[in-house]
Amino acid sequence: IETYSFGHYDRGSKIEKIYIPKNVTEIQDFAFNHYEGYGKIIIGGEKGSEAEKFAFKNEILFTEVDESNLDWFFSLSYNEHRKILEEKAKNETEFVVDCPENGYTATFDNGTLMLSAISSGATVECLKEKLSKDRRDKIKTIILGDGITHITKKAFQDYYDLEEVKIGKDVCVFDAECLFGDYNIHKFTVDNENKHFIVKDGMLYSSDLEKIVKFPPKQEKEYYEIPSHVKTIGKFAFADTSCLQCIKVGNNVSMIEEGAFACFLDLRHIYIDKDVDI
């Protein structure tokens, strides 16, 4: 299903329900342009299908359905489907999501999502595509267990209620863009055996303290001066920060990476030394 296949204001604006069979192997971005992420639309399909991944990625309602119960699927209104899904989410306290293609399993229990490697060198990519918004909204803490090594840029985007990230001993790559949209994070912790990252004054740094990896967006500071030991402000390091109003960057900083201050909600002033490479 190619980009802009549906969703034209003149022709597609009345579509509320779409059934996508499992033989569909690719749904391109903006395939349902008018609806993705905000319109009243519900997608039906089988568990683990491209339809499910696309719906979760774009925060579209998804219901498990196949050719045997299409009459039921099309007989209910959007609001009736939403009520059923909300009730199901309300009663769900535990769940498991298997990601064998990336070498790990995600287990949710009592507000915590634990990522456990099933093979060495597990990489976490876009877990959002495997979790509905109702499930993501339950997650307060993410634990990256032993054997989890790489966290890519889209791993945990738009986990709006996420408050804490615990980084395990084997994590060696942590792309801060993975937390884009997670504006309620107030705490990071790093396993004492981890050789690549460290937490100091609440900030996530590289182990040598020369690079700021991530500032907790919910940390309650209005003014922040970049410490003298810092040489690099990493990409998306201060993204989604809601309390800071002023930042001072001294000449000890030699590099500010892409998107370092993206979606900075209340930022008023950044003082940057003229020698800083931006």
Side-chain angles (χ1 to χ4, degrees):
I1 303 177
E2 295 186 347
T3 300
Y4 303 124
S5 293
F6 297 86
H8 191 281
Y9 280 91
D10 295 333
R11 292 171 292 178
S13 59
K14 295 183 179 179
I15 296 175
E16 290 187 349
K17 283 168 282 191
I18 298 175
Y19 167 64
I20 303 176
K22 63 181 180 181
N23 60 292
V24 174
T25 58
E26 180 183 4
I27 306 174
Q28 295 181 358
D29 290 340
F30 307 111
F32 308 99
N33 184 47
H34 181 55
Y35 307 98
E36 289 175 23
Y38 59 87
K40 277 194 171 183
I41 183 175
I42 180 165
I43 291 176
E46 296 189 25
K47 186 175 180 61
S49 64
E50 288 301 308
E52 182 184 46
K53 294 177 183 178
F54 182 86
F56 290 172
K57 177 182 178 182
N58 292 283
E59 297 184 4
I60 298 172
L61 289 188
F62 176 83
T63 291
E64 287 185 43
V65 63
D66 56 36
E67 293 180 356
S68 67
N69 55 353
L70 285 180
D71 288 343
W72 167 82
F73 174 65
F74 285 111
S75 69
L76 299 182
S77 68
Y78 172 89
N79 288 332
E80 287 172 324
H81 277 295
R82 172 168 281 284
K83 185 176 180 180
I84 292 171
L85 292 171
E86 287 178 346
E87 189 65 25
K88 180 180 178 181
K90 181 180 178 181
N91 295 327
E92 185 180 47
T93 57
E94 301 177 0
F95 59 79
V96 176
V97 178
D98 292 318
C99 303
E101 69 276 16
N102 297 114
Y104 70 92
T105 295
T107 304
F108 174 83
D109 183 21
N110 194 30
T112 298
L113 189 71
M114 174 71 182
L115 274 59
S116 304
I118 55 178
S119 61
S120 60
T123 296
V124 183
E125 294 183 343
C126 193
L127 187 54
K128 180 179 178 179
E129 295 179 2
K130 291 180 176 287
L131 292 172
S132 66
K133 184 178 183 301
D134 289 330
R135 283 183 165 180
R136 296 200 310 274
D137 287 347
K138 294 173 178 285
I139 299 170
K140 305 295 183 183
T141 302
I142 289 178
I143 300 176
L144 306 177
D146 295 352
I148 304 294
T149 57
H150 291 68
I151 310 299
T152 68
K153 67 180 182 179
K154 294 184 178 181
F156 310 117
Q157 285 187 7
D158 300 330
Y159 284 46
Y160 302 123
D161 293 309
L162 181 61
E163 297 176 354
E164 181 179 5
V165 179
K166 297 183 178 182
I167 298 173
K169 66 182 182 67
D170 297 319
V171 176
C172 57
V173 174
F174 190 93
D175 190 323
E177 191 177 351
C178 74
L179 301 175
F180 191 61
D182 302 351
Y183 43 75
N184 277 310
I185 295 175
H186 62 80
K187 185 178 182 181
F188 291 101
T189 59
V190 176
D191 189 284
N192 291 333
E193 294 184 38
N194 189 293
K195 299 179 180 179
H196 304 278
F197 302 99
I198 192 171
V199 172
K200 182 179 180 181
D201 299 327
M203 300 270 287
L204 181 63
Y205 288 96
S206 58
S207 58
D208 58 10
L209 294 175
E210 292 187 355
K211 180 177 180 177
I212 296 176
V213 178
K214 186 64 178 174
F215 183 95
K218 206 66 174 179
Q219 190 172 104
E220 296 183 356
K221 290 182 179 180
E222 293 186 359
Y223 172 82
Y224 186 74
E225 182 172 350
I226 304 299
S228 59
H229 54 76
V230 173
K231 295 182 179 179
T232 301
I233 301 176
K235 71 173 187 174
F236 291 85
F238 287 89
D240 301 306
T241 301
S242 59
C243 298
L244 278 177
Q245 297 182 19
C246 181
I247 293 179
K248 183 177 180 180
V249 183
N251 60 11
N252 53 292
V253 174
S254 58
M255 175 68 70
I256 299 177
E257 295 183 349
E258 172 190 3
F261 304 109
C263 293
F264 211 136
L265 303 181
D266 291 317
L267 183 65
R268 298 180 182 179
H269 305 285
I270 300 180
Y271 299 97
I272 302 178
D273 190 276
K274 62 183 178 65
D275 294 328
V276 176
D277 182 5
I278 55 174

